[in-house]
Amino acid sequence: METFETIRKAIVEGQAKVVEEHVKIALENNTDAGTILHEALIPAMAEVGQLYEEGEYFVPEMLIAARAMKTGLALLKPYLVDANIQSAGKVAIATVQGDLHDIGKNLVSLMLEGAGFEIVDLGVNAEPEKFVDAVRDQGVNVVAMSALLTTTMTRMKDTVNALQQAGLRDNVKVIIGGAPITQAFADEIGADGYAPDASQAVTLTKNLLAVS
Ligand code: B1M
């Protein structure tokens, strides 16, 4: 679809205004928000990563593209989230310590919210104690951690350990995800589950909490 191609290109080039304009057009034409997300926004960020790997893009270009992506995501949010559904459980979500990537985390958060989960967003660069405090003080049922860097994924284990040390590990389910994460890594660190993308994170959370 031509609109998807325009949105994808505008994100890659960091043109937030063009993204805004064309996501609005797509929505006005009753294009499904999930389709816009999967056909235009997500492929655009994959392309940005590719350009970075090839040395065509540097951090500033990635940052500008990320801002354009977020503009599109903000417009899609009301269509992906139904504000009137009852809470199916409480999820504390963050990108782990040392990691500032938040687009995937925000997407997972948004999809969980859309499925009826209450979200406690702990932001980015979240140290293990932040998760421990959320479980202890806010009645959280699920700890959800995202990592995009091979150097920060190891911090997930620190959170699992911190929950154990605080005597809270059995009170919560721990789920993890992000580009470098695998099921084998989840097993290795003692997480309850891994999901490769946002929609599977919803299925996983529902299964772990036995919510239909
Ligand atoms: Co960064 N970056 N970055 N970056 N960046 C990557 C991750 C990288 C793969 C690029 C590359 O080399 N091809 C590479 C990591 C290499 C590695 O570790 N192996 C990299 C690097 C090296 C860096 C810096 C170190 C660069 C530098 O400074 N020299 C630096 C680190 C900063 C830090 O965090 N401390 C850095 C910085 C940045 C920006 C700030 C410029 C920007 C982030 C802006 C922001 O997020 N606000 C940025 C970006 C944009 C990227 C890429 C291009 C795009 C990431 C993204 O948003 N993808 C990325 C390349 C890539 O991923 N191909 C790259 C779209 C998003 C929807 O996908 O986040 O994977 P993703 O989320 C998916 C799934 O992974 C999953 O669901 C999501 C949607 O379906 N998922 C979960 C994610 N979390 C989940 C949690 C779950 C379940 C599923 O359960 C809890």
Side-chain angles (χ1 to χ4, degrees), residues 28 67 103 122 138:
E28 277 160 18
R67 282 197 196 128
I103 294 175
L122 304 174
Q138 299 193 56

Side-chain angles (χ1 to χ4, degrees), residues 45 48-49 52-53 59 62-63 66 70 98-104 107-108 144-146 148-150 175-179 195-198 201:
M45 291 315 288
V48 171
Y52 177 78
E53 260 175 49
V59 172
M62 280 207 286
L63 207 47
K70 283 183 176 185
D99 203 321
L100 304 175
H101 296 85
D102 69 352
I103 294 175
L107 204 49
V108 172
M145 291 184 275
S146 177
L148 265 286
L149 300 171
T150 45
I175 67 164
I176 62 173
D197 60 36

Side-chain angles (χ1 to χ4, degrees), residues 112-136:
L112 284 169
E113 202 183 332
F117 292 96
E118 208 177 324
I119 302 297
V120 179
D121 191 338
L122 304 174
V124 295
N125 190 23
E127 63 267 31
E129 294 69 31
K130 261 197 170 175
F131 290 102
V132 170
D133 290 348
V135 174
R136 188 189 291 119

Side-chain angles (χ1 to χ4, degrees), residues 58-73:
F58 297 94
V59 172
E61 285 89 352
M62 280 207 286
L63 207 47
I64 294 165
R67 282 197 196 128
M69 161 90 174
K70 283 183 176 185
T71 305
L73 205 52

Side-chain angles (χ1 to χ4, degrees), residues 160-184:
V160 174
N161 289 346
L163 286 167
Q164 237 145 21
Q165 275 158 22
L168 296 168
R169 179 65 186 91
D170 294 338
N171 301 11
V172 279
K173 299 293 182 190
V174 174
I175 67 164
I176 62 173
I181 309 301
T182 59
Q183 182 61 53

